[in-house]
Amino acid sequence: MLIFFKKRQILLRTNALELIPVRLHSFDTDSKGIVTIKIPKISNEKLANRIIPKSRSKYSTLELDEIGSAVWQEINGEQKTEQICSRMADRFGDKIHPVQERVVKFLSGLYNNKCLTFKQLQ
C-alpha cells in the first residue's frame, strides 16, 4: 500500500509531459500499422500454463486505432511524453488537435489499465 502512495505522489508532483512511458506488454502490428497489445490473462506464466487450456489463448488483446498505434510505437522508454506529442503533431496535424491533451489522456488510460508504466516510477 505504501508503494501505491509513493507512486501517486510522484505522478502528482510531475508534469505529465515530462514523464517517460515504458511498455509493459508485447504487441503485434498488422500490415496497416495497427497495433494489438497482448495482455496476459494471468501474470504468472507457470500458473497460466496449468489453468488455461492449450486450446485457448493466454492473452487478452487490445486493438488500438491509427493514432493510438502511432503513439504506442513511439514509446521506447527513452522519449518524454512531450517528444511523443511533438512527433504526433508533425505526423497527424489537425487530426490530433489538441495533441498534448489527447496523448496524455491516452497514456493515462494505458497506465490505469496496466499496459504501461513510467520510468520515474520504476
Side-chain angles (χ1 to χ4, degrees):
M1 194 72 161
L2 186 60
I3 294 172
F4 168 77
F5 289 113
K6 284 184 181 181
K7 287 182 178 182
R8 186 171 182 205
Q9 286 300 317
I10 291 169
L11 290 176
L12 290 174
R13 282 186 270 138
T14 307
N15 178 359
L17 297 175
E18 294 297 316
L19 294 171
I20 300 171
V22 178
R23 295 184 204 129
L24 293 177
H25 302 300
S26 61
F27 66 98
D28 294 324
T29 307
D30 69 9
S31 60
K32 296 177 184 176
I34 301 299
V35 169
T36 303
I37 302 172
K38 296 171 22 176
I39 304 166
K41 291 179 180 175
I42 300 174
S43 59
N44 185 326
E45 192 174 329
K46 289 181 181 181
L47 185 61
N49 289 335
R50 294 181 123 180
I51 294 176
I52 300 173
K54 293 184 191 264
S55 61
R56 296 188 138 258
S57 175
K58 295 176 186 161
Y59 300 97
S60 296
T61 58
L62 176 62
E63 188 172 319
L64 305 177
D65 64 356
E66 177 186 13
I67 295 172
S69 296
V71 171
W72 180 262
Q73 291 174 339
E74 288 294 323
I75 297 171
N76 61 9
E78 296 174 10
Q79 292 189 88
K80 292 181 180 181
T81 303
E82 185 174 25
Q83 295 167 312
I84 294 172
C85 290
S86 174
R87 294 185 66 139
M88 293 301 105
D90 292 344
R91 181 170 174 182
F92 293 105
D94 289 339
K95 187 176 180 180
I96 193 170
H97 185 74
V99 66
Q100 292 178 342
E101 199 174 299
R102 289 185 68 179
V103 170
V104 167
K105 191 170 188 174
F106 175 71
L107 294 176
S108 296
L110 290 176
Y111 174 76
N112 290 334
N113 288 311
K114 297 179 176 67
C115 292
L116 64 81
T117 189
F118 297 101
K119 200 170 200 173
Q120 290 82 346
L121 301 178
Q122 293 179 328

